Amino acid sequence: MERNEGLGDFLRARRAALDPQQFGIRDAAPRRVPGLRREELAALAGVSVDYYTRLEQGRPITPSEAVLDALADALQLDPAERSYLHAVARRPATSRRRTPRTVQKVRPGVHALLARLGDTPAFVLGRRTDILASNRMARALLADFGAMPVRDRNAVRWVILDEAARSLFAQDWEKAASMFVGTLRMDAARHPDDTRTAELVGELSMRSDRFLRWWSGQKVVEPSHGTKTLHHPIAGRLTLRTEALTFPGDPDQTLFTFLADPGSPSDEALTVLSAWATDHARAAGSTPDAPKTPRATPYG
């Protein structure tokens, strides 16, 4: 049976993030390492110190649902982190098998939905944060993903390595980038044997110190909603509300939309951007709402 290093790494990182004073623990002298001690966390979770220590060491143990829930409560995990804890604890402890490379397909109805969204920027995020499809407004607001090589149509790679993405998100860049990194980590837990994910993480760890820090920090994200401030070279400053919707029957595909408050300066800016995108598409001899990304990518 193989060790579960992922579970151990996550438990250690989350334990180190806890403030002992929250639990009424006050030491006479400063602690040498941050967070709770193993014995303190084990007591909070109601498990033995030896058992918890073996979990942190990545020993080939499969904890029960009750134990995982108790650990999640003790570690004060949010819903996304709880889901991740359960996923990473269930990683097979037998010999690893490579996940066959399959093709992720975006349904024709989803492509039609993207086009019907009109002036609302939207794109579909797939496995390991691959950009599977986007409408004309997403291409105008964010990047022309359809014009990129297939390998580069990835949200984490784009936001971490592309200087235009850093300028676009400006002061929100760290928040946006770390969110996509956390989304990638959740995907990695659900698909632990995926070679493409391992290659992506390895590449970005070599090319970006920020990525390596966020990845090592074990941050986990399940996209839902939020607010983004963008600085666009054509439309200027925009404050947009984001919504992330997972399709029933396609849990590995998420629709992201960017919405402006009606009548706001950002709403007017999107109207300007829409007109520019339409003129730009016509000048290039293409239909404004024609899909620019293929309906499938080689990334399963």
Side-chain angles (χ1 to χ4, degrees), residues 158-204:
W158 168 67
V159 77
I160 293 287
L161 301 181
D162 194 321
E163 287 298 325
R166 186 183 289 263
S167 298
L168 178 67
F169 286 102
Q171 68 263 31
D172 271 358
W173 179 79
E174 287 210 6
K175 179 181 177 182
S178 63
M179 184 273 287
F180 281 124
V181 173
T183 302
L184 177 63
R185 177 168 285 284
M186 180 65 82
D187 183 79
R190 290 171 175 160
H191 304 275
D193 304 329
D194 185 75
T195 56
R196 291 284 188 182
T197 300
E199 291 167 3
L200 177 62
V201 171
E203 175 197 353
L204 294 179

Side-chain angles (χ1 to χ4, degrees), residues 248-265:
D250 284 311
D252 288 330
Q253 294 188 18
T254 303
L255 175 69
F256 279 80
T257 61
F258 294 77
L259 305 163
D261 291 332
S264 67

Side-chain angles (χ1 to χ4, degrees), residues 90 121-122 143 215 217 219 249 251 268:
R90 293 290 174 260
W215 189 259
K219 180 173 181 176
E268 296 175 5

Side-chain angles (χ1 to χ4, degrees), residues 40 65 150 220:
E40 294 166 343
E65 298 288 324
V150 173
V220 181

Side-chain angles (χ1 to χ4, degrees), residues 11 58 105 111 124 132 165 179 194 251 253:
L11 290 173
K105 296 181 179 180
H111 280 287
V124 177
L132 302 182
M179 184 273 287
D194 185 75
Q253 294 188 18

Side-chain angles (χ1 to χ4, degrees), residues 53-170:
T53 299
R54 285 186 286 147
L55 288 176
E56 275 204 4
Q57 291 173 342
R59 300 287 185 88
I61 303 170
T62 303
S64 68
E65 298 288 324
V67 167
L68 291 174
D69 286 337
L71 289 171
D73 289 340
L75 293 166
Q76 300 184 342
L77 302 185
D78 63 26
E81 291 167 335
R82 282 176 175 268
S83 179
Y84 180 84
L85 175 65
H86 281 264
V88 76
R90 293 290 174 260
R91 294 181 66 169
T94 57
S95 60
R96 300 288 186 224
R97 294 182 179 179
R98 291 188 176 183
T99 302
R101 292 187 180 182
T102 57
V103 174
Q104 273 197 287
K105 296 181 179 180
V106 177
R107 299 194 303 267
V110 176
H111 280 287
L113 174 61
L114 286 172
R116 292 291 182 89
L117 286 173
D119 289 347
T120 299
F123 64 86
V124 177
L125 197 74
R127 287 287 326 284
R128 76 193 63 80
T129 75
D130 287 337
I131 305 290
L132 302 182
S134 58
N135 66 6
R136 68 181 180 89
M137 285 298 289
R139 297 191 292 272
L141 178 66
L142 303 174
D144 192 351
F145 298 109
M148 298 177 182
V150 173
R151 178 177 176 276
D152 293 340
R153 297 173 196 159
N154 178 274
V156 173
R157 181 182 280 111
W158 168 67
V159 77
I160 293 287
L161 301 181
D162 194 321
E163 287 298 325
R166 186 183 289 263
S167 298
L168 178 67
F169 286 102

Side-chain angles (χ1 to χ4, degrees), residues 160-161 166 173 201-214:
I160 293 287
L161 301 181
R166 186 183 289 263
W173 179 79
V201 171
E203 175 197 353
L204 294 179
S205 295
M206 293 292 292
R207 299 181 65 180
S208 171
D209 291 339
R210 295 285 185 89
F211 174 85
L212 183 59
R213 174 162 59 85
W214 288 325

